Amino acid sequence: MKRNIKVALAGNPNVGKTAIMNALAGTNEKVGNWPGVTVKKKIGRYNFRGVDIELIDLPGIYSLTSYTLEERVTRNFLLKEKYDAVLDIVDVTLLGRNLYLTIELLEMGIKPILVLNKTDELRNAGYTIDKKILEDILELPVVSISAIRRKGLEELSETILRVATGDLKPKGIIPTYSEDLENAISLLLLKMKEENIPYNKRWFVIKLLENDPEIIEEAKKSLIFAEEIFKEIEVIKEALEKKYKCDLPSYIARERFNFASQIARRVIKRTEEIPRENFSDKVDKFITNPFSGIPIFFLIMWLVFKLTFDLSAPISDFIDSIFGQFLPNFLTKQLSFLPHFLLSLINDGVLAGVGAVMVFLPVLGILYFLMSILEDTGYMARAAALWDNSMKLFGLSGSSVIPMILGFGCNVPAVYATRAMRSSTERLITMLIIPWVSCGARLPVYTLFAAAFFKEYQALVIFSLYFLGIFLSLLLAFVLSKFFKQDGEEFFIELPSYKFPSWNVVINQTWIEVREFVYKAGTVILAVSVFVWALATLPAGVEYASENSLIGHVGKLLVPIFEPLGIDDWKPIVALIFGALAKEVVVGTLGALYGSEENIIHSLSNIFTPESALAYMVFTLLYIPCVATIAAIKQESGSWKWPIFSIVIELFTAWIVALGVYNVAKIVF
């Protein structure tokens, strides 16, 4: 009997693949009640009855045609990698739509375990599913589960074990379509009977008829009678398109949907009378209508920021007292035997640098918590749909909204999330504008300066910075769209039903983001704080963090560039340089140079005016992306040209806009 099993998880976006992996393997991967959360493979492992099971969570896809990166990643894995079983996970509340992918898997020759997720939601909606009939129709093992409520997991693991070890052998049907399409497939199979094809030949033929770009390229290179076969395809295409009044790929897609819909109608039964208009329909009349939905969107976002700052303030003050007073005093007394420079390293470098950042942990934690609630209720998917028409004014579509919203957490996964976009032009534009979406790492900088200069209007000032970032992002998208050729791909998104948020999911999402922030504080920010301390201490004998120190000399060289913005002190300028590594480092560096949050605020009050503070916040918002975002843009665009373009345009824009803000503020304040 096998002791190691590899299982692939496939399915449409937002069906709960990652939630199932988390439930089975105990992983803490991010899940979301909207599409596009999984954009690359994720792995989880667990042991069931002495067998090690490796789960590979593949990106969610709607079909196995190679139009998007997600589709290519999933399809290439299923075609070329080795595995013992495939879980085809479907959202049972959207069975007809989700079975489309099941049918494609069967065409490919894969005989998956069909996993019906969200069965509790189906029941609550007044429906039931006949699992036995579904098993008989598809000739596949079918398991009903609820990943969020951890129901049906034992049966699922048992079925995985039986299929992977050969105890249960799914037969799997061969989906059959209209007579015309079947005749076309049979004709091409006959023409290709001498060809050696490394995949299921029927699937290969269907993909040729669907005009799949990767399969066509492969056929041109490998088929012996390629020219003759492509001529025959053209004849078939002309005949079917003339008869059915649509292009051939659309006709094949319609055949699959018909097949899937017929199955769904046979197995889904209504158990109670359903009102013509349900709760989601009634709410969506306001949420997705631009006239009411856009004001509601801004109101919700403003409330999120208001709650974030009101709730986090007392916790932040407590953490500041720990890092700013208690720990320095305690360690100074306990470690008084250490040389002065080591005490300075601990207090001025480590505690001041890391502590200055940790003070903002409650702010980020509460912000992520509130955003996770919005995600899990299903609101974020509607926000993407709401902005679709508005985004077209800027040369984008609603598909850009999801990466941009993800960018509020961190720009790096947001850049990777563009993989789900079908239009290559919109994808490139979106990844170039994402760095201007205010990520959580910039929030400590905003909060620090808002507390020092705009205490009574913190939420409004910071909300305005987020708004400015989005406005300039869209403006840049509009300009870029005039130079890039559009490829006309349409945006569509599946709206999940509204639901009460699952606290397990919300807490897990918040923990993932908070954990990343704490990890950075303990690694990158700690290392940079020590490095800044060393530069502020050397050469030996200089006053700590004085203008005669090494870091003082570097900062003074750049002062003339920032003087027009009202910034004539070198320390905040140096903080911006180190902030290129990660934006949280700006506050960490200020902490290493000025001391605890209380000392920073006092020092900043003597250096900045409200006008120059505003210019500094705007510059922080707009200047270069962090190194991780630059690397992500390089990886996703496949060229250094675009990250360099991004750095140049953002540095230039940051200085110009900050200059404008400073001069306008001088008139207004």
Side-chain angles (χ1 to χ4, degrees):
M1 182 176 172
K2 284 189 172 186
R3 291 294 167 194
N4 295 285
I5 289 172
K6 185 183 279 190
V7 181
L9 277 64
N12 284 187
N14 200 32
V15 294
K17 292 185 287 74
T18 308
I20 289 173
M21 187 176 80
N22 286 344
L24 287 173
T27 50
N28 283 313
E29 295 291 351
K30 183 177 174 63
V31 300
N33 193 14
W34 57 350
V37 173
T38 306
V39 292
K40 56 185 179 182
K41 287 182 290 187
K42 295 175 182 172
I43 295 175
R45 295 180 178 86
Y46 73 109
N47 186 283
F48 182 74
R49 295 186 183 170
V51 178
D52 291 326
I53 300 177
E54 181 178 283
L55 302 174
I56 296 134
D57 181 14
L58 299 170
I61 54 171
Y62 290 105
S63 80
L64 289 169
T65 304
S66 62
Y67 288 130
T68 68
L69 277 176
E70 288 172 312
E71 288 168 348
R72 285 197 284 277
V73 168
T74 297
R75 188 171 85 173
N76 287 341
F77 182 91
L78 293 172
L79 280 175
K80 297 173 182 174
E81 300 287 334
K82 290 185 178 176
Y83 44 83
D84 300 293
V86 174
L87 301 186
D88 174 21
I89 298 160
V90 303
D91 177 348
V92 73
T93 64
L94 300 167
L95 187 66
R97 188 118 35 103
N98 281 210
L99 283 178
Y100 185 96
L101 182 63
T102 308
I103 290 165
E104 282 207 271
L105 290 171
L106 288 166
E107 283 176 0
M108 194 185 263
I110 292 172
K111 295 156 187 172
I113 300 166
L114 193 65
V115 183
L116 307 177
N117 194 22
K118 306 184 184 181
T119 47
D120 49 338
E121 292 182 25
L122 183 77
R123 193 167 47 253
N124 293 339
Y127 292 92
T128 186
I129 183 167
D130 193 322
K131 195 174 79 172
K132 180 70 175 61
I133 294 180
L134 188 58
E135 282 179 335
D136 292 342
I137 293 172
L138 294 173
E139 298 184 8
L140 295 174
V142 179
V143 181
S144 297
I145 70 160
S146 171
I148 296 296
R149 287 170 176 74
R150 306 178 70 85
K151 300 233 173 119
L153 299 180
E154 177 89 8
E155 184 189 351
L156 178 58
S157 293
E158 184 70 43
T159 309
I160 290 172
L161 212 57
R162 290 185 64 201
V163 170
T165 56
D167 182 45
L168 175 62
K169 294 181 179 174
K171 292 180 182 174
I173 60 165
I174 298 173
T176 52
Y177 306 112
S178 67
E179 187 178 351
D180 286 334
L181 184 53
E182 286 299 325
N183 287 341
I185 294 169
S186 299
L187 181 60
L188 287 175
L189 284 172
L190 189 63
K191 294 270 182 193
M192 292 169 62
K193 67 179 179 181
E194 302 296 329
E195 301 282 357
N196 184 22
I197 296 168
Y199 315 119
N200 182 294
K201 199 173 270 188
R202 179 181 165 89
W203 174 80
F204 191 83
V205 163
I206 293 174
K207 287 296 161 194
L208 283 176
L209 291 170
E210 283 189 293
N211 205 26
D212 184 288
E214 279 193 358
I215 295 299
I216 286 177
E217 279 304 307
E218 195 166 336
K220 284 178 180 173
K221 290 176 186 172
S222 63
L223 294 184
I224 301 167
F225 304 105
E227 189 175 342
E228 186 182 340
I229 289 166
F230 278 109
K231 278 183 183 173
E232 192 62 51
I233 290 173
E234 282 304 311
V235 173
I236 292 169
K237 182 180 170 189
E238 188 177 347
L240 291 180
E241 289 184 351
K242 186 176 179 182
K243 182 173 182 179
Y244 292 99
K245 313 289 185 199
C246 68
D247 61 75
L248 190 51
S250 299
Y251 170 63
I252 295 172
R254 195 170 68 194
E255 286 291 304
R256 285 200 194 101
F257 273 122
N258 286 339
F259 193 86
S261 300
Q262 287 170 13
I263 295 172
R265 280 197 293 271
R266 287 182 63 188
V267 298
I268 297 282
K269 305 293 179 192
R270 196 163 66 184
T271 57
E272 57 186 70
E273 195 62 33
I274 306 298
R276 184 174 292 177
E277 190 177 56
N278 61 26
F279 174 75
S280 289
D281 296 332
K282 289 176 183 173
V283 175
D284 279 344
K285 280 185 177 177
F286 299 96
I287 294 292
T288 57
N289 183 315
F291 293 105
S292 53
I294 290 176
I296 290 172
F297 174 82
F298 283 114
L299 178 63
I300 289 173
M301 290 296 119
W302 182 82
L303 281 174
V304 165
F305 286 106
K306 179 72 177 160
L307 284 172
T308 296
F309 294 110
D310 288 353
L311 297 177
S312 64
I315 313 173
S316 292
D317 289 344
F318 175 72
I319 295 176
D320 184 43
S321 68
I322 297 288
F323 280 93
Q325 296 173 18
F326 174 73
L327 281 178
N329 293 337
F330 177 77
L331 291 176
T332 300
K333 285 180 185 174
Q334 298 300 318
L335 303 176
S336 57
F337 57 90
L338 290 177
H340 174 71
F341 81 95
L342 278 180
L343 277 176
S344 172
L345 170 62
I346 294 169
N347 286 331
D348 300 328
V350 176
L351 289 181
V354 175
V357 174
M358 291 302 290
V359 165
F360 300 99
L361 184 61
V363 179
L364 289 168
I366 292 172
L367 178 64
Y368 290 138
F369 180 78
L370 296 173
M371 295 294 281
S372 297
I373 289 176
L374 291 178
E375 282 183 29
D376 207 46
T377 55
Y379 176 73
M380 285 306 192
R382 285 164 173 83
L386 171 70
W387 285 99
D388 183 39
N389 285 332
S390 303
M391 296 295 279
K392 285 177 181 167
L393 298 173
F394 302 96
L396 298 174
S397 69
S399 61
S400 301
V401 175
I402 291 174
M404 290 176 75
I405 292 176
L406 286 174
F408 287 128
C410 178
N411 288 173
V412 177
V415 171
Y416 287 122
T418 60
R419 289 181 179 188
M421 298 174 66
R422 300 178 76 82
S423 163
S424 57
T425 303
E426 288 183 14
R427 181 168 181 259
L428 179 59
I429 293 175
T430 304
M431 74 174 73
L432 291 175
I433 66 173
I434 278 174
W436 280 348
V437 175
S438 273
C439 61
R442 291 173 171 108
L443 192 55
V445 186
Y446 303 159
T447 308
L448 180 68
F449 278 79
F453 296 95
F454 311 101
K455 197 160 187 175
E456 293 182 7
Y457 306 100
Q458 279 190 70
L460 182 61
V461 169
I462 295 174
F463 179 75
S464 302
L465 286 166
Y466 275 75
F467 182 82
L468 177 66
I470 292 294
F471 173 74
L472 291 174
S473 297
L474 295 177
L475 197 60
L476 178 61
F478 176 77
V479 174
L480 293 178
S481 68
K482 300 299 173 192
F483 293 95
F484 295 164
K485 186 180 175 184
Q486 296 287 341
D487 42 19
E489 290 286 350
E490 289 294 326
F491 165 69
F492 64 92
I493 186 169
E494 208 165 81
L495 298 182
S497 298
Y498 287 107
K499 65 169 188 172
F500 194 77
S502 163
W503 296 118
N504 284 340
V505 171
V506 170
I507 290 169
N508 186 50
Q509 308 295 71
T510 307
W511 165 242
I512 290 170
E513 302 290 355
V514 167
R515 182 184 59 189
E516 181 67 19
F517 182 78
V518 173
Y519 175 78
K520 274 189 184 177
T523 53
V524 177
I525 294 168
L526 174 62
V528 172
S529 297
V530 172
F531 184 61
V532 170
W533 172 84
L535 291 178
T537 306
L538 296 173
V542 298
E543 184 184 346
Y544 177 74
S546 69
E547 62 180 24
N548 294 320
S549 62
L550 289 179
I551 201 167
H553 288 298
V554 174
K556 282 190 295 182
L557 287 175
L558 298 172
V559 167
I561 298 173
F562 287 86
E563 279 180 333
L565 312 182
I567 304 165
D568 55 9
D569 187 87
W570 59 268
K571 290 178 182 175
I573 298 171
V574 167
L576 289 172
I577 298 173
F578 289 105
L581 292 173
K583 292 296 187 287
E584 304 97 322
V585 173
V586 173
V587 174
T589 305
L590 291 173
L593 294 174
Y594 290 124
S596 67
E597 189 203 12
E598 190 178 337
N599 289 339
I600 299 174
I601 289 177
H602 176 72
S603 301
L604 293 180
S605 302
N606 294 326
I607 295 166
F608 285 87
T609 63
E611 297 87 350
S612 59
L614 205 53
Y616 190 83
M617 293 161 83
V618 169
F619 193 88
T620 305
L621 160 67
L622 301 175
Y623 86 120
I624 59 175
C626 68
V627 289
T629 305
I630 291 171
I633 295 174
K634 156 68 176 64
Q635 183 180 346
E636 294 304 300
S637 66
S639 164
W640 274 111
K641 178 172 68 175
W642 297 116
I644 292 170
F645 171 82
S646 182
I647 292 170
V648 172
I649 200 82
E650 287 171 26
L651 270 176
F652 177 74
T653 307
W655 193 87
I656 292 292
V657 176
L659 179 68
V661 166
Y662 174 65
N663 284 290
V664 170
K666 278 204 302 183
I667 298 169
V668 174
F669 291 167

